[in-house]
Amino acid sequence: MPFTAGTLCTKVARYLDRTYSPDRVLYPLRRRGGKGPGQGTFERIGWDEALDTIAARFREIASEDAQGILPYSYAGTMGLVNYASMDRRFFHRLGASLLERTICSSAGKVGIGLTLGASVGMDPECVPDAEMIVIWGSNPVVSNLHFWSRCLEARRRGARLVAIDPWRNDTVRRCDQWIAPRPGTDAAFALAVMHVIVSERLYDADYVAHHTLGFAAMRRRLEEWPPERAAEICGISVKEIVDFACDYGTTKRTAIRLNYGLQRHHGGGMAVRTISCLPALTGAWRDPAGGLLLGTSDFYDLDHAALERPDLLRGEPRKINMCALGDALLEAEPPVRALYVYNSNPAAVAPDANRVVAGLSRPDLFTVVHEIFLTDTCDYADIVLPATTQLEHVDLHKSYGHLYLLANNPAIAPVGEAKPNAEVFRLLARRMGFTDPCFDDDDDTLARQAIGKGRRHLGGIDWDTLKADGWKRLDVPSRWAPFAQGGFPTPSGRCEFYSRTAEEQGLDPLPAYTPPRECPETDPALATRFPLQFISPPARHFLNSSFANLPFARELEREPRLEIHPEDAGLRGIRDGETVRIFNDRGECRLVAHVTADVRPGVVVSPSIWWRKLSLCGGNANSLTSQALTDMGRGATFYDCLVEVMPAPVTPVD
Ligand SMILES: Nc1nc2c(c(=O)[nH]1)N[C@H]1C(S)=C(S)[C@@H](COP(=O)(O)OP(=O)(O)OC[C@H]3O[C@@H](n4cnc5c(=O)[nH]c(N)nc54)[C@H](O)[C@@H]3O)O[C@H]1N2
Ligand SMILES: Nc1nc2c(c(=O)[nH]1)N[C@H]1C(S)=C(S)[C@@H](COP(=O)(O)OP(=O)(O)OC[C@H]3O[C@@H](n4cnc5c(=O)[nH]c(N)nc54)[C@H](O)[C@@H]3O)O[C@H]1N2
Ligand SMILES: [Mo]
């Protein structure tokens, strides 16, 4: 496949260790004894008994109010058949509570949607021709390796790589320049940069006139943002802002790689909205090697409604936000009585883990977990079902970082008694007496329904050919500048500096800066008690909490660590290599201090997501994070989190 050119990341290169791991769940299991790590034991049962038990419990709850049943799933697999098809049909028909799946990217998606109209951007394959690449809140060496190879190619051709990140991550240390704003302040930086570009007349007046909306209004807004103001907020120098603006404004082919890191803050939606105005201001979209990339997913016009069948819903079940699972399990009315988890490990990945775990511990909650491994979440399951890995099932994949459609063909038969998600929901539907014909669709039929016929950019693709060939590029030009002539998927067809859609939703119609929820500016009292901003971004050898149980990945990642600046460490008497306690009002965990100038002062970083039970004292980064939601898209605010740190020697539990 051209985009990866045969290169595997460190995790997938060892995927066989995962598939053939001796720790896999091979059979359905039923709990005996209490909930929680080390509390109960599991005994093997048959699939019939497991499915009958689940169906009986669901029927009983549904006879009173099916909203007492909550599905919980995210990105264990992102193949569309096993991510969102038969499962959604099943829960729609059942009338279960709806889950708002916003734990990852929804703030950024709404933000970029206001400016550009959808999750669309430049073609990453054109990046090698860029002259300046801005890697903004992103760590592609770790999280997007194949994009990084294209940055290296661009550099061989003379491009300059600039990183904007409070943390000198594995990517930043390979860039030519590092700008380190305080977490959550990127919008202030972008506004000041645009201020300079406009006042120095570095903008592309022709592109702005023909392909943007609301320049006059934005110009007035930018007058409020001299570099001095932003420098103060971002904790960087005026010169850094002015120099960046001049470089960006005078370079033709500029590519911005935003990732989702910077939208995991209260103001994350507005930050993405504001930053994504930049390439239209300078006309960078004119060239295929210019523009901005957050995600490419909306270039895929797949038929999600055919897969998920929202028409099976009767009435409007309540919505529960996945970022506030703890509150939902402890407080929702009517209560959540049954939880069905698949493709996710919420005990480790959901914010405010102590609340999540308190909810999962409820003896009256009936919890099913469909999993490959006995994760932290399985410790609270009544029934565990064995799931297949990517090598054992059929699926169809789109991407958020390139423009190919991919078929996943199984390489081996399922290991043990593992079954794919879609198959389990077909079996459960039968047990529940759902006779709608859509519950008989097999995986190939589902993939075919997703592709449909003659849909945009999918013109020439059909499932059988895709299965035989493995991949196909979307039906778009090979050197593609999607917005060279405007044509943004916004209501006006222009890049919207002024957004009526935002205004109608009661949001600021212009680019703006929304400060973090937890920072000295917003909450000085909290910041006095917990003065450090805490970021827990992806670790190189884990994929969220996946792989974090495999010996090879744990050896490479070594220990749950906390990077802390020498000034902050000195103030607290923390020495390099010693165990520290990191805490706030929500919880605490233990990490090993790495004293380093790779983080800016006032910020601490812990590459994540470790399993709780494989950590130093049974907690992980999410013992600290909050359930508060973003300004747009009701997303998670993992990196909007104040903490304090102190030395705390411990003997590790394992
Ligand atoms: N190895 C690996 N790869 C992964 C994942 C993984 O867990 N492991 N996860 C996958 C998933 S689910 C996702 S969503 C993606 C993307 O996941 P992202 O969360 O975008 O992760 P990164 O690319 O690591 O970029 C995060 C960077 O944002 C920085 N950051 C945090 N707050 C701010 C801020 O306010 N401003 C700025 N400028 N920077 C900030 C962090 O310091 C970090 O360097 O990665 C995917 N790829
Ligand atoms: N502190 C902190 N927390 C975060 C983040 C962060 O940066 N910092 N990142 C957030 C982000 S971006 C995301 S996307 C979420 C991700 O959160 P999750 O989507 O929960 O991701 P994983 O931790 O990888 O857990 C997925 C689980 O699904 C299982 N699985 C894999 N394939 C299948 C399958 O085919 N069927 C079934 N039934 N199970 C399967 C895996 O074994 C794994 O245990 O975490 C979020 N949490
Ligand atoms: Mo994610």
Side-chain angles (χ1 to χ4, degrees), residues 139 163-174 178-181 183 533 535 537 561-568 576 594-607:
N139 186 5
I164 306 176
D165 200 302
W167 178 40
R168 182 155 53 194
N169 63 37
D170 284 342
T171 307
V172 179
R173 71 177 81 251
R174 293 169 170 86
W178 177 33
I179 299 172
Q533 288 183 280
I535 301 177
R561 69 177 190 273
L562 185 74
E563 298 195 15
I564 182 166
H565 192 273
E567 273 172 31
D568 293 320
D576 189 58
H594 287 213
V595 178
T596 166
D598 286 345
V599 281
R600 55 163 293 144
V603 177
V604 286
V605 173
S606 181

Side-chain angles (χ1 to χ4, degrees), residues 538-542 552-561 607-608 610:
R540 181 167 192 166
H541 306 97
F542 302 163
F552 88 85
R554 289 164 54 76
E555 270 160 37
L556 290 166
E557 212 51 51
R558 301 214 336 259
E559 63 206 359
R561 69 177 190 273
S608 293
W610 290 78

Side-chain angles (χ1 to χ4, degrees), residues 9-11 74-75 78 104-105 135-144 164-169 172 179 181-186 258-265 275 400 535-546 605 608-609 639:
C9 72
T10 54
K11 301 165 296 297
Y74 203 65
M78 300 192 77
C104 172
S105 58
I135 296 180
W136 201 329
S138 176
N139 186 5
V141 167
V142 163
S143 66
N144 192 188
I164 306 176
D165 200 302
W167 178 40
R168 182 155 53 194
N169 63 37
V172 179
I179 299 172
R182 288 196 183 100
T185 64
D186 301 84
L258 272 187
N259 211 333
Y260 289 99
L262 67 75
Q263 50 98 65
R264 304 191 204 294
H265 296 272
I275 293 166
Y400 48 78
I535 301 177
S536 48
R540 181 167 192 166
H541 306 97
F542 302 163
L543 177 65
N544 299 311
S545 77
S546 295
V605 173
S608 293
I609 306 169
Y639 307 159

Side-chain angles (χ1 to χ4, degrees), residues 122-143:
M122 63 179 294
D123 178 353
E125 279 183 274
C126 295
V127 162
D129 291 323
E131 297 167 279
M132 175 179 181
I133 301 174
V134 185
I135 296 180
W136 201 329
S138 176
N139 186 5
V141 167
V142 163
S143 66

